[in-house]
PDB file of all heavy atoms in Angstrom:
ATOM      1  N   ALA A  46      -4.042  46.518   7.162  1.00 56.00           N
ATOM      2  CA  ALA A  46      -5.129  45.543   7.075  1.00 56.00           C
ATOM      3  C   ALA A  46      -5.741  45.269   8.437  1.00 56.00           C
ATOM      4  O   ALA A  46      -6.926  44.960   8.548  1.00 56.00           O
ATOM      5  CB  ALA A  46      -4.599  44.241   6.471  1.00 56.00           C
ATOM      6  N   THR A  75       6.334  26.938  14.799  1.00 92.00           N
ATOM      7  CA  THR A  75       5.745  26.284  15.978  1.00 92.00           C
ATOM      8  C   THR A  75       5.917  24.770  16.025  1.00 92.00           C
ATOM      9  O   THR A  75       5.548  24.158  17.033  1.00 92.00           O
ATOM     10  CB  THR A  75       4.235  26.577  16.032  1.00 92.00           C
ATOM     11  OG1 THR A  75       3.595  26.058  14.838  1.00 92.00           O
ATOM     12  CG2 THR A  75       3.963  28.063  16.128  1.00 92.00           C
ATOM     13  N   LEU A  97      -4.068   5.308  35.348  1.00 83.00           N
ATOM     14  CA  LEU A  97      -4.969   6.142  36.146  1.00 83.00           C
ATOM     15  C   LEU A  97      -6.408   5.642  36.125  1.00 83.00           C
ATOM     16  O   LEU A  97      -7.124   5.734  37.139  1.00 83.00           O
ATOM     17  CB  LEU A  97      -4.906   7.591  35.645  1.00 83.00           C
ATOM     18  CG  LEU A  97      -5.271   8.684  36.666  1.00 83.00           C
ATOM     19  CD1 LEU A  97      -4.400   8.552  37.903  1.00 83.00           C
ATOM     20  CD2 LEU A  97      -5.119  10.055  36.046  1.00 83.00           C
ATOM     21  N   LEU A  98      -6.863   5.115  35.004  1.00 80.00           N
ATOM     22  CA  LEU A  98      -8.223   4.585  34.937  1.00 80.00           C
ATOM     23  C   LEU A  98      -8.452   3.434  35.928  1.00 80.00           C
ATOM     24  O   LEU A  98      -9.451   3.446  36.651  1.00 80.00           O
ATOM     25  CB  LEU A  98      -8.547   4.137  33.506  1.00 80.00           C
ATOM     26  CG  LEU A  98      -9.030   5.205  32.534  1.00 80.00           C
ATOM     27  CD1 LEU A  98      -9.302   4.597  31.167  1.00 80.00           C
ATOM     28  CD2 LEU A  98     -10.283   5.889  33.057  1.00 80.00           C
ATOM     29  N   THR A 203     -12.725  -6.152  34.799  1.00 66.00           N
ATOM     30  CA  THR A 203     -11.775  -6.824  35.688  1.00 66.00           C
ATOM     31  C   THR A 203     -12.224  -6.771  37.138  1.00 66.00           C
ATOM     32  O   THR A 203     -11.839  -7.636  37.940  1.00 66.00           O
ATOM     33  CB  THR A 203     -10.381  -6.190  35.569  1.00 66.00           C
ATOM     34  OG1 THR A 203     -10.446  -4.802  35.946  1.00 66.00           O
ATOM     35  CG2 THR A 203      -9.855  -6.297  34.145  1.00 66.00           C
ATOM     36  N   GLY A 221       0.255   6.618  20.566  1.00 92.00           N
ATOM     37  CA  GLY A 221       0.145   7.078  19.180  1.00 92.00           C
ATOM     38  C   GLY A 221      -1.137   7.847  18.922  1.00 92.00           C
ATOM     39  O   GLY A 221      -1.135   8.871  18.228  1.00 92.00           O
ATOM     40  N   PHE A 228      -1.502  16.788  18.317  1.00 94.00           N
ATOM     41  CA  PHE A 228      -0.837  17.558  17.269  1.00 94.00           C
ATOM     42  C   PHE A 228      -1.874  18.297  16.412  1.00 94.00           C
ATOM     43  O   PHE A 228      -1.717  19.487  16.108  1.00 94.00           O
ATOM     44  CB  PHE A 228       0.002  16.625  16.400  1.00 94.00           C
ATOM     45  CG  PHE A 228       0.996  17.335  15.530  1.00 94.00           C
ATOM     46  CD1 PHE A 228       2.234  17.677  16.024  1.00 94.00           C
ATOM     47  CD2 PHE A 228       0.694  17.659  14.221  1.00 94.00           C
ATOM     48  CE1 PHE A 228       3.168  18.329  15.226  1.00 94.00           C
ATOM     49  CE2 PHE A 228       1.607  18.309  13.413  1.00 94.00           C
ATOM     50  CZ  PHE A 228       2.850  18.644  13.918  1.00 94.00           C
ATOM     51  N   TYR A 232      -3.080  22.824  16.369  1.00 92.00           N
ATOM     52  CA  TYR A 232      -3.208  23.733  15.226  1.00 92.00           C
ATOM     53  C   TYR A 232      -4.655  24.163  15.006  1.00 92.00           C
ATOM     54  O   TYR A 232      -4.905  25.229  14.432  1.00 92.00           O
ATOM     55  CB  TYR A 232      -2.628  23.085  13.975  1.00 92.00           C
ATOM     56  CG  TYR A 232      -1.123  23.100  13.989  1.00 92.00           C
ATOM     57  CD1 TYR A 232      -0.395  21.936  14.209  1.00 92.00           C
ATOM     58  CD2 TYR A 232      -0.427  24.296  13.821  1.00 92.00           C
ATOM     59  CE1 TYR A 232       0.991  21.966  14.243  1.00 92.00           C
ATOM     60  CE2 TYR A 232       0.957  24.326  13.860  1.00 92.00           C
ATOM     61  CZ  TYR A 232       1.658  23.166  14.078  1.00 92.00           C
ATOM     62  OH  TYR A 232       3.028  23.210  14.131  1.00 92.00           O
TER      63      TYR A 232
END
Side-chain angles (χ1 to χ4, degrees):
T75 61
L97 205 56
L98 276 180
T203 61
F228 195 85
Y232 284 107

